[in-house]
Amino acid sequence: MTAITAIDLNADLGEGFGRWRLTDDEQLLSVVTSANVACGFHAGDAATMRRVCEQAAERGVTIGAQVSYRDLAGFGRRTMEVPPAELAAEVAYQIGALEVFARAAGARVAYVKPHGALYNRVVHDEEQARAVIDGVRLADASLPVLGLPGSRLLALAAEAGLPAVTEAFADRAYTDEGTLVPRGRDGAVVTDPDAVVERSVSLARSGAVIAHSGARIRVRARSLCLHGDTPGAVGLARRVRERLVAAGVRLEAFA
């Protein structure tokens, strides 16, 4: 199998609120090539969005809008029933809010990625996936959409003429079908740092990963997500970056 010669490293950033901070944004911005910035619905606030956009722009890191259900209390990880028209408007609203701060920093919102429950929902839910795409088009009909390979979200993005960008997770367990194991199940999150590093290299070089069942499955992705809300996230992200470079993988933003 031909190795991927370039991959993007993304992380969820700006996931704080007021005086509370979850992610070490400044340090992670020295590692990643793209930043998924929380837009205030699952985490983040105006001051946080502004700060992260300024820091990302200073480091040449691409800025993406991480859109979510309106669920601060549940960190966007609770399933919610939102009418399609309302969800589309809220997706556009979140993108627009972040765009103000990105432009003020001399950059722009370059792509969109759903978060948490919304991310998992739009893998199979046609109606919710279409609402997200409608919201992206309302904000900017040229924005790439980042999501799970084979998802309805990416299929509808491509149908709408939006660049559909595939993503993989080195620290999340996969089902044999290529979807993520729900966080409530044992083993859903890969916690062994050495395993995360090796999975990262495998995903980048061969487009494959070992699923929760032990089967080897294909997961071809242009971007690799490094979660910033886990203990030791910065050190682990640096290890992943170093190993990828050592393995001959070029680190390059997709947008």
Side-chain angles (χ1 to χ4, degrees):
M1 183 180 294
T2 302
I4 295 174
T5 57
I7 199 163
D8 171 62
L9 292 182
N10 77 74
D12 302 344
L13 301 180
E15 291 185 326
F17 191 82
R19 297 177 62 186
W20 176 70
R21 293 190 183 184
L22 177 62
T23 50
D24 190 342
D25 300 325
E26 189 168 5
Q27 292 300 314
L28 283 167
L29 284 168
S30 69
V31 179
V32 300
T33 50
S34 296
N36 317 314
V37 184
C39 299
F41 272 38
H42 75 280
D45 55 30
T48 301
M49 286 190 281
R50 181 179 183 181
R51 172 176 51 80
V52 176
C53 284
E54 289 173 347
Q55 292 175 347
E58 288 172 0
R59 291 162 176 77
V61 175
T62 298
I63 297 170
Q66 187 162 45
V67 298
S68 171
Y69 286 126
R70 189 190 292 269
D71 182 27
L72 272 177
F75 196 60
R77 287 181 176 165
R78 298 184 294 190
T79 299
M80 305 184 78
E81 297 301 326
V82 181
E86 183 177 338
L87 179 58
E90 291 190 339
V91 166
Y93 179 92
Q94 292 174 77
I95 297 168
L98 187 65
E99 178 70 4
V100 169
F101 299 115
R103 287 195 176 275
R108 64 184 180 90
V109 171
Y111 66 94
V112 178
K113 173 185 173 178
H115 166 81
L118 182 58
Y119 186 97
N120 292 318
R121 180 78 171 268
V122 296
V123 171
H124 299 297
D125 191 312
E126 179 92 8
E127 185 178 67
Q128 295 282 280
R130 192 175 298 280
V132 171
I133 297 304
D134 287 346
V136 174
R137 294 179 65 197
L138 182 60
D140 184 341
S142 68
L143 285 175
V145 176
L146 183 61
L148 204 68
S151 64
R152 291 308 302 150
L153 178 74
L154 293 191
L156 291 172
E159 288 179 14
L162 303 175
V165 184
T166 53
E167 177 182 39
F169 298 82
D171 62 352
R172 290 295 310 278
Y174 281 85
T175 68
D176 288 356
E177 291 72 39
T179 58
L180 300 180
V181 173
R183 280 185 175 268
R185 287 179 53 186
D186 289 341
V189 178
V190 180
T191 57
D192 179 4
D194 292 336
V196 173
V197 172
E198 293 309 313
R199 286 162 66 90
S200 298
V201 174
S202 178
L203 285 163
R205 291 295 304 273
S206 63
V209 70
I210 302 301
H212 193 53
S213 67
R216 183 178 174 87
I217 62 170
R218 183 170 177 170
V219 182
R220 299 289 287 179
R222 177 64 180 84
S223 187
L224 181 65
C225 181
L226 306 174
H227 281 108
D229 60 347
T230 54
V234 174
L236 179 57
R238 286 179 176 147
R239 282 189 61 192
V240 168
R241 182 183 177 108
E242 289 168 1
R243 280 284 284 114
L244 288 172
V245 171
V249 178
R250 186 173 73 255
L251 304 181
E252 179 180 275
F254 62 82

